[in-house]
Amino acid sequence: MLRKIIHIDEEKCNGCGICAEACHEGAIEIIDGKAKLMRENFCDGFGDCLPNCPTGAITFEEREAPAYDADAVRAAKEKNGMKSGSGLENGIHPSMMGPAGGCPGSRMMRFSRQDEERGEENCMSQSLSVPVSRLEQWPCQIKLVPVGAPFFDGAKLLIAADCTAYAYANMHEEFMKGKVTIIGCPKLDGVDYTEKLMEIIRENEIESVTIVRMEVPCCGGLQMAAQNALQGSGKFIPWQVVTISRDGRILDA
């Protein structure tokens, strides 16, 4: 079939292995010091490996290739024991660290908020108020977050428009707390998030989905993508939509 798939320029590749770590489908391996796409049917075409490549050796191309085989990917993950365990070391899951180098803005991290929670309780006991970040993981951009990231398993998913955290003052406490947050702006990104969101929901055990959008019309694209993804996933998951006004009020929930 004709579809979008990654292309690796071996002349640019320095064999760092970051792309192989970023590809949670296991499609890429390092062979003789170069990254190679070993399993075309494992490549989902979302390009989680692209932003991690320090030399720009990975691009998209459209060509004849086997269809993405989600069942084969899932079987390979189970065989290799991926997504096993949930231990955190210094707030970062070992499976998310990846090799040194590459773009730090794209490397997966999960944060432990236990110290902040204790600090918050101490401050509250002293009648002080100290804001605490409720972001649970990195990256949080829909375009950058890997479909198979371990933090999605058992997650309450928050799909939020970029502007909501700036418009609504209590975004962290009311919406982000206890959830895995992914954000985007369909107008600025110029993409339809439906396929990627559908894969995230389909491939992981998502408990619930909350969509927080702005009242502006372009945010309708984010809501529509999320709703279509939920429908296309074939799963029945509790979900809700919350709309924020431009002056920072909740219009409906």
Side-chain angles (χ1 to χ4, degrees), residues 77-248:
K77 286 182 179 180
E78 292 174 355
K79 181 178 179 181
N80 295 329
M82 293 179 68
K83 292 189 176 181
S84 61
S86 58
L88 295 176
E89 183 176 349
N90 297 323
I92 303 174
H93 195 289
S95 68
M96 302 181 193
M97 287 298 293
C103 175
S106 301
R107 188 164 304 148
M108 283 196 299
M109 301 174 67
R110 188 164 193 174
F111 310 124
S112 174
R113 296 298 183 188
Q114 294 178 353
D115 291 339
E116 285 111 326
E117 292 282 357
R118 285 193 290 268
E120 182 187 25
E121 291 172 2
N122 292 336
C123 288
M124 290 177 65
S125 67
Q126 301 173 29
S127 299
L128 298 175
S129 178
V130 178
V132 176
S133 173
R134 299 302 183 182
L135 184 64
E136 296 285 338
Q137 90 295 329
W138 190 267
C140 57
Q141 286 284 346
I142 297 173
K143 288 182 67 175
L144 297 181
V145 69
V147 170
F151 48 70
F152 281 130
D153 267 352
K156 295 178 180 178
L157 184 62
L158 172 64
I159 303 172
D162 289 350
C163 297
T164 55
Y166 295 95
Y168 192 67
N170 208 30
M171 185 72 177
H172 282 249
E173 291 299 320
E174 289 190 40
F175 295 110
M176 293 173 60
K177 186 176 181 180
K179 297 183 179 68
V180 167
T181 301
I182 55 176
I183 65 174
C185 175
K187 185 173 183 177
L188 294 182
D189 287 344
V191 297
D192 182 354
Y193 300 122
T194 300
E195 289 297 325
K196 187 161 189 179
L197 291 175
M198 184 166 60
E199 287 298 314
I200 289 172
I201 295 169
R202 180 189 294 159
E203 299 300 321
N204 300 279
E205 294 301 320
I206 303 295
E207 289 188 7
S208 64
V209 174
T210 301
I211 305 159
V212 181
R213 55 162 293 182
M214 298 297 297
E215 63 174 330
V216 294
C218 56
C219 259
L222 180 67
Q223 178 179 340
M224 185 62 65
Q227 292 179 190
N228 288 340
L230 282 161
Q231 183 177 8
S233 71
K235 294 184 176 181
F236 296 95
I237 299 173
W239 63 279
Q240 64 170 328
V241 178
V242 179
T243 303
I244 307 295
S245 69
R246 282 168 285 188
D247 60 353

Side-chain angles (χ1 to χ4, degrees), residues 64-79:
E64 288 291 333
Y68 171 63
D69 191 338
D71 292 335
V73 172
R74 188 180 301 108
K77 286 182 179 180
E78 292 174 355
K79 181 178 179 181

